[in-house]
Amino acid sequence: MRDKIAASVGAIALTAFCGVMTASPAQAANPGYHCTNWKSTSHGWSADCRVTRGMARAMVGCYDGTSHYGAWKGRGNWKFGMSCGRSKMGESGVEWKP
C-alpha cells in the first residue's frame, strides 16, 4: 500500500512539474504546430516545425537524468532540435501551450 501511495504522489508531482495543460477537444486534436523532416540519432533529434498558434519548444530527456528545453517560439517556421551531448537520448519531442 505504501508503494502505491508513493507512486501516486510521484505521478502527481511529475504532472505538476511538467506543467500539463488542459486544452479544448479541438485544440487537443490539432495542436498549434506541425513538424516534418524528423531526424534522430541515439543522442539527439531535429525537425522543421511550423507554429500556427500558441507557443512551442523542443525538449529532450537524457539517460543521464537531465532534461533540456529550447526557447519558446511563437508563430512562424522554426528548426527544432535538442541533443543530450554524450548521453543517450530517452524521450524527445515538442511541447506546446496555447
Side-chain angles (χ1 to χ4, degrees):
M1 180 67 168
R2 184 176 182 182
D3 291 336
K4 286 184 180 180
I5 293 171
S8 296
V9 170
I12 291 168
L14 180 61
T15 300
F17 175 75
C18 290
V20 173
M21 304 182 87
T22 58
S24 71
Q27 288 175 333
N30 183 16
Y33 72 92
H34 176 73
C35 298
T36 60
N37 299 324
W38 289 88
K39 296 181 177 98
S40 65
T41 67
S42 60
H43 299 277
W45 70 274
S46 67
D48 298 320
C49 299
R50 178 172 178 77
V51 179
T52 56
R53 60 186 167 86
M55 299 186 84
R57 69 178 177 180
M59 66 79 55
V60 68
C62 307
Y63 275 79
D64 65 5
T66 61
S67 295
H68 305 279
Y69 301 89
W72 287 106
K73 301 292 186 180
R75 295 177 76 182
N77 295 314
W78 307 97
K79 180 77 167 185
F80 279 3
M82 281 276 133
S83 172
C84 288
R86 293 184 180 184
S87 178
K88 288 200 176 197
M89 179 176 64
E91 62 181 332
S92 63
V94 175
E95 291 184 335
W96 178 76
K97 64 182 179 179

